[in-house]
C-alpha cells in the first residue's frame, strides 16, 4: 500500500484552546461590532485570521532563544542573523526591524518621494499604505488571470510584463523601484515564477530601476517554483531561493511568516550606500543598527527559522495542509480560489453569496457567518480592506471579494482543518437565508478594517 502523507514534525508542547456555543458567539460578535479584529482570542476556537506571527517555533528555535545576546551594540545574535541572511538570501547588508511594515517604513523613507509611482504585483496593504502616505501611487501590474478565481494558472502572482513596461514607458522618471511580492498575498497567496522574476529584472535593467522583493512568504514561493516550473524541479528550496534573489537589489521581510517567529523583520540590500541611508531612518524609527526593532533572542530564532523555513519537508507539510482545507471545501461545493495559495485558502464571497450587493460588504458578511457557525476566525479581503480612494473618498470596490483563511505554521492539526471545512460547509448549505450584509457605523480614515464598527442589515 502507498503510505499516506504525514507531517514532518511531532508535538512537544500544547496550548489549550476554548470551545464555545453558537449563542456565545452571536453575543460576542455583536459586542465586537461585527469586526473580527475586536474579538478576544479566547472567543475564537480555530484562529485563521493570519499566518503572521502565529506559527509554532521549533525546539531548536526555542534553544536559540536561550542563547540570545542582548548587548546593545555588536550582539552575537546580530551576526548570527547576518550570516543566515547572507547564506540563504545572498545579501551583504541588512537592518533588523520590528516587523515587515517597519522595514517598509525605513526603506521607503529613503526611496519614495511625493508624486512617485511604484509599480508592483498587488502591493500588500501596509506597503500601499506606506506609498500613499508619502503621496505617491502604487500601480498594480498583476496578470489579469489573478482576478478570476476559476482560472487555473500556475503562477497567478506574476507581474504582467506589458503593464509594467507601459508604466515605465510613460513615467520612468517617477518610478523609484519596482516591488514584487513573493508570494502575492493580496492576489491569494499566489506564487511568482522564476521566469517572471527574471523578466521583471530585464525590464528594470532596461530602465535602470531597482527591484525590491516584499519577501514575507518567499520560501513558499520557492516551493511552488519547484513544484510547478519544470526546469527547477530537481533543485533544492535553498538553490531556488538563491536563483530568485539574484534578481533583486533589496528586500523587505516580515519574518513573522516564512522565518516562523512571532515578531521581527528586516531589510536587506546589496549596496552599502543604500544601507547607510536607511541606517539613519532605522536608528530613528526602530533602534540601533545591530538590533533595530528586535531583541537578541528573536534575532537568533529568526536565523534558525530562516533555515527551517527553507527546508523542503517544512514547506511540504505546510502547503499540503493548506491544500487539504482547499480540497475539502471544493468537495463540499464551496467556491474557493484555485489553484490554492501557499498560506491560505480564499473563499470567493461573490460566488458564495450570489446576488448580495457589494455595498453590503459581502466578504465581511461571510466572515461573520463563518465565525458564528464554528468559532473559526478568517479575515475579509474585500471592500472594507480596500479603504476609500484617498482623492474622492469613495469606497473602493475591488474585483475580488474574498474571505481568507490563513493557516498558522505548525500550529493546528488536520482535525482542525476538517472541523473548519465542515463549519464553512454548514454556512454554504444555508447561504440562501443570508440575504442582507452589513453597513459601516464608524471608520478610520486609513486602514479602516482594523477598527471599523459595523451593524447587520
Ligand atoms: N508584506 C506582505 C506580503 C504581508 O503579507 C505583510 C503582512 C506585510 C508585508 C507586513 O508585515 O505584518 O510584519 O508588518 N501580512 C499579514 C497578513 C499581516 O495577515 O497577511 P508585518
Amino acid at each position: 500500500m502507498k503510505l499516506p502523507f504525514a507531517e514532518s514534525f511531532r508535538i512537544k508542547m500544547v496550548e489549550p484552546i476554548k470551545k464555545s456555543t453558537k449563542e456565545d458567539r452571536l453575543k460576542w460578535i455583536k459586542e465586537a461590532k461585527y469586526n473580527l479584529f475586536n474579538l478576544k482570542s479566547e472567543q475564537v476556537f480555530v484562529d485563521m485570521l493570519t499566518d503572521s506571527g502565529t506559527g509554532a517555533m521549533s525546539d531548536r528555535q526555542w534553544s536559540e532563544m536561550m542563547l540570545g545576546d542582548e548587548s546593545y551594540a555588536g550582539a552575537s545574535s546580530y551576526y548570527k542573523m547576518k550570516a543566515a541572511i547572507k547564506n540563504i538570501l545572498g545579501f551583504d547588508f541588512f537592518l533588523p526591524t520590528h516587523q515587515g511594515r517597519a522595514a517598509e517604513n525605513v526603506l521607503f523613507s529613503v526611496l519614495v518621494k511625493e508624486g512617485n509611482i511604484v509599480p508592483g504585483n498587488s502591493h500588500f496593504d501596509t506597503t500601499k499604505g506606506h506609498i500613499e502616505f508619502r503621496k505617491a501611487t502604487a500601480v498594480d501590474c498583476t496578470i489579469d488571470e489573478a482576478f478570476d478565481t476559476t482560472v487555473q494558472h500556475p503562477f497567478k502572482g506574476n507581474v504582467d510584463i506589458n503593464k509594467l513596461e507601459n508604466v515605465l514607458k510613460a513615467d520612468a522618471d517617477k518610478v523609484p523601484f519596482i516591488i514584487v511580492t513573493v508570494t502575492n498575498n493580496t492576489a491569494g497567496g499566489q506564487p511568482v515564477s522564476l521566469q517572471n522574476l527574471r523578466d521583471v529584472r530585464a525590464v528594470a535593467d532596461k530602465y535602470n530601476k531597482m527591484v525590491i522583493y516584499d519577501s514575507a512568504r518567499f520560501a513558499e514561493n520557492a516551493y511552488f517554483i519547484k513544484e510547478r516550473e519544470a526546469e527547477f524541479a530537481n533543485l533544492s528550496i535553498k538553490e531556488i531561493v538563491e536563483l530568485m534573489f539574484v534578481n533583486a537589489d533589496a528586500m523587505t521581510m516580515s519574518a513573522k511568516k516564512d522565518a516562523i517567529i512571532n515578531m521581527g523583520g528586516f531589510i536587506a540590500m546589496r549596496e552599502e550606500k543604500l544601507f547607510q541611508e536607511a541606517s539613519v531612518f532605522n536608528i530613528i524609527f526602530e533602534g540601533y543598527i545591530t538590533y533595530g526593532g528586535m531583541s537578541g533572542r528573536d534575532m537568533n530564532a529568526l536565523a534558525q527559522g530562516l533555515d527551517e523555513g527553507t527546508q523542503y519537508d517544512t514547506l511540504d507539510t505546510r502547503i499540503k495542509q493548506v491544500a487539504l482545507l482547499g480540497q475539502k471545501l471544493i468537495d463540499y461545493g464551496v467556491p474557493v480560489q484555485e489553484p490554492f495559495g501557499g498560506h491560505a485558502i480564499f473563499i470567493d464571497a461573490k460566488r458564495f453569496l450570489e446576488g448580495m450587493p457589494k455595498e453590503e460588504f459581502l466578504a465581511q458578511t461571510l466572515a461573520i457567518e463563518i465565525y458564528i457557525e464554528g468559532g473559526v476566525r478568517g479575515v475579509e479581503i474585500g471592500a472594507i480592506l480596500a479603504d476609500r480612494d484617498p482623492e474622492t473618498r469613495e469606497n473602493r470596490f475591488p474585483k475580488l471579494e474574498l474571505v481568507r483563511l490563513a493557516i498558522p505554521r505548525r500550529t493546528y492539526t488536520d482535525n482542525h482543518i476538517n472541523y473548519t471545512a465542515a463549519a464553512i460547509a454548514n454556512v454554504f448549505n444555508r447561504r440562501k437565508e443570508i440575504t442582507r450584509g452589513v453597513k459601516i457605523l464608524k471608520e478610520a480614515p486609513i486602514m479602516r478594517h482594523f477598527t471599523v464598527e459595523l451593524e447587520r442589515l
Side-chain angles (χ1 to χ4, degrees), residues 16-17 21 37 56 72 81 126 187 215 224 274 287 370 417 444 448:
I17 50 176
T21 64
F37 286 97
Y72 193 95
M81 185 165 156
T126 59
S215 315
F224 283 121
L274 179 59
I370 292 170
I417 300 294
R448 64 181 178 182

Side-chain angles (χ1 to χ4, degrees), residues 372-392:
I372 293 169
E373 183 67 33
V376 175
R377 175 158 68 170
V379 72
E380 187 247 25
I381 309 270
I384 294 182
L385 181 72
D387 262 324
R388 290 177 187 273
D389 184 293
E391 304 274 300
T392 65

Side-chain angles (χ1 to χ4, degrees), residues 26-278:
L26 276 165
K27 179 170 158 276
W28 293 335
I29 192 69
K30 189 165 183 228
E31 284 165 4
K33 306 273 199 265
Y34 299 98
N35 179 343
L36 293 125
F37 286 97
N38 285 338
L39 290 169
K40 292 182 183 151
S41 65
E42 63 192 31
Q43 296 169 337
V44 176
F45 182 52
V46 179
D47 204 347
M48 295 193 176
L49 182 70
T50 181
D51 63 322
S52 180
T54 52
M57 289 207 297
S58 67
D59 52 354
R60 284 150 184 84
Q61 284 179 291
W62 280 106
S63 307
E64 283 297 329
M65 296 285 278
M66 290 304 294
L67 300 173
D69 176 353
E70 307 303 340
S71 304
Y72 193 95
S76 64
S77 301
Y78 169 80
Y79 290 103
K80 217 173 236 181
M81 185 165 156
K82 186 176 171 69
I85 290 172
K86 174 68 184 168
N87 288 342
I88 295 170
L89 301 159
F91 292 99
D92 286 322
F93 299 97
F94 90 103
L95 288 164
T97 60
H98 78 273
Q99 58 183 81
R101 66 199 71 184
E104 292 162 1
N105 187 31
V106 169
L107 189 61
F108 294 3
S109 292
V110 180
L111 297 175
V112 180
K113 304 278 177 291
E114 185 171 342
N116 278 176
I117 295 171
V118 183
N121 55 340
S122 319
H123 313 62
F124 182 65
D125 52 341
T126 59
T127 317
K128 195 170 179 180
H130 277 296
I131 292 168
E132 291 179 351
F133 180 72
R134 290 171 173 81
K135 301 196 163 52
T137 313
V139 178
D140 186 2
C141 300
T142 309
I143 57 169
D144 290 335
E145 287 88 337
F147 303 104
D148 183 340
T149 58
T150 61
V151 170
Q152 288 285 346
H153 185 293
F155 292 102
K156 276 185 165 178
N158 277 358
V159 177
D160 183 321
I161 298 298
N162 284 332
K163 289 186 196 170
L164 177 65
E165 262 223 81
N166 288 340
V167 173
L168 283 156
K169 260 187 212 149
D171 286 306
D173 54 323
K174 292 188 186 146
V175 174
F177 57 85
I178 301 160
I179 189 156
V180 186
T181 305
V182 288
T183 56
N184 184 333
N185 182 4
T186 310
Q190 297 292 326
V192 180
S193 71
L194 195 47
Q195 186 56 52
N196 193 247
L197 293 176
R198 289 175 174 173
D199 293 345
V200 170
R201 179 77 258 172
V203 174
D205 286 344
K206 188 168 156 193
Y207 291 89
N208 198 22
K209 297 296 172 194
M210 281 177 64
V211 178
I212 294 173
Y213 290 174
D214 175 350
S215 315
R217 300 179 184 84
F218 74 94
E220 290 171 6
N221 200 95
Y223 176 90
F224 283 121
I225 289 174
K226 183 173 169 67
E227 297 292 306
R228 297 182 187 169
E229 216 168 346
E231 204 185 320
F232 308 107
N234 295 323
L235 299 187
S236 71
I237 298 294
K238 286 191 171 67
E239 285 166 334
I240 293 171
V241 167
E242 200 180 319
L243 292 179
M244 287 166 63
F245 280 90
V246 290
N247 301 296
D249 300 288
M251 65 179 281
T252 54
M253 177 75 186
S254 169
K256 300 165 73 171
K257 285 89 168 172
D258 276 356
I260 327 180
I261 54 170
N262 303 116
M263 190 52 76
F266 59 90
I267 310 162
M269 61 281 266
R270 274 181 222 298
E271 294 297 327
E272 187 168 7
K273 182 170 170 283
L274 179 59
F275 165 74
Q276 275 164 357
E277 287 170 345

